[in-house]
Amino acid sequence: MVAKVGDDNFGPQLLDNLKHAGVDTNAMAQTVGSSGLAPMFVADDGQNAIVVVPGANGKMDRAAVDKHADLIRSAGMVLCQLEIPMDTLGYTLELCANAQVPVMLDPAPAATLPDAVWKQVAWFTPNETEAAFYVGEAKTVEDTAQRLHAKGLRGVVLKRGAEAHLFPLRATGRSGSSHSRWIPSTPWVRRLLQRRVCRGA
C-alpha cells in the first residue's frame, strides 16, 4: 500500500492493523498531523453511513507517487480512493496509463471528477449514495450503471449495502454496440477481484 498516516495515536495503530492483515506497509510514510478517520455506522436495515474526517492521505503528492513509481508500474491493478488530492489522482492515472496498469477507483469521499478521469478508470466502485452524486437518482441499478458507462467507464461495481453487489461489465459486440452483463457477487467473484487488486494502491 502506498499511503500516509499521521503522527497521532492512530498512525501506529493503523500500521499495526495493516501488517497484521498481511498488507505490505513498506511504502507507507508518517507525516505531521492527523491520520484521519472514517467511522462506519450500520443501521438495523443493513445500510451503512460513513463519516469521513480527512487526514494524512490529503498530503499525498506527486513526489510520493514518484518515490514509489516502480512499485506502481509493477502492479497488476492499482486501487485509488479520493482521500488523496485530485492532482495526485490525475498524476497517478497518467503513470498507470503509460505503464498499461489498470486502475480501480473507489470514489470515496465523493467529489467532482475531471472529465479525463472517467476514461482512465478500468473499474469504478461507488456505493448507492456516491453513484447518485455522479449520475443522479435512477429508477433501477441497471439505469445507474448505464449512466455511469456513458461517461466512458469500462467496468462498474455498484455496492448496495445489505443487498448483493452487482458487477456490470461493459463489452463491445461485433456490431460495435456496448452492453452490460450483470454478475451477482459471490465469494468466488470477490476473491477473483481481490487477486486482481495488486501491490500498488
Side-chain angles (χ1 to χ4, degrees):
M1 179 178 287
V2 179
K4 291 188 177 184
V5 298
D7 60 356
D8 54 5
N9 291 333
F10 293 112
Q13 293 178 23
L14 288 167
L15 290 174
D16 287 343
N17 288 340
L18 288 168
K19 290 176 182 177
H20 182 72
V23 176
D24 185 344
T25 60
N26 288 324
M28 296 185 68
Q30 190 174 58
T31 188
V32 176
S34 169
S35 294
L37 294 171
M40 179 183 293
F41 304 91
V42 182
D44 292 338
D45 62 359
Q47 299 299 314
N48 67 68
I50 302 175
V51 179
V52 178
V53 181
N57 278 328
K59 298 180 180 180
M60 287 288 295
D61 55 15
R62 294 187 177 206
V65 176
D66 287 339
K67 183 177 180 179
H68 302 291
D70 289 341
L71 174 64
I72 294 171
R73 291 190 188 98
S74 72
M77 179 178 286
V78 168
L79 170 64
C80 291
Q81 287 187 298
L82 297 184
E83 297 172 6
I84 63 176
M86 200 61 66
D87 177 73
T88 308
L89 172 65
Y91 189 66
T92 303
L93 290 175
E94 287 294 335
L95 172 64
C96 290
N98 291 334
Q100 297 184 322
V101 177
V103 174
M104 178 183 291
L105 178 60
D106 183 3
T112 301
L113 296 172
D115 291 340
V117 168
W118 297 101
K119 294 182 180 180
Q120 292 177 303
V121 173
W123 286 95
F124 192 68
T125 65
N127 60 27
E128 291 178 289
T129 302
E130 293 155 357
F133 175 87
Y134 292 107
V135 297
E137 296 291 341
K139 293 182 179 180
T140 65
V141 290
E142 291 87 351
D143 186 28
T144 297
Q146 289 172 358
R147 293 184 189 184
L148 288 169
H149 281 156
K151 290 181 173 291
L153 294 167
R154 285 171 282 171
V156 177
V157 177
L158 292 177
K159 297 177 289 188
R160 304 188 59 214
E163 299 181 31
H165 299 182
L166 300 177
F167 298 78
L169 306 178
R170 187 174 184 230
T172 301
R174 293 181 180 178
S175 64
S177 62
S178 62
H179 63 277
S180 294
R181 181 162 58 94
W182 295 88
I183 305 175
S185 177
T186 64
W188 181 86
V189 171
R190 288 193 290 271
R191 286 195 299 270
L192 175 63
L193 284 179
Q194 288 166 358
R195 286 198 295 268
R196 293 296 299 275
V197 177
C198 56
R199 290 168 289 176

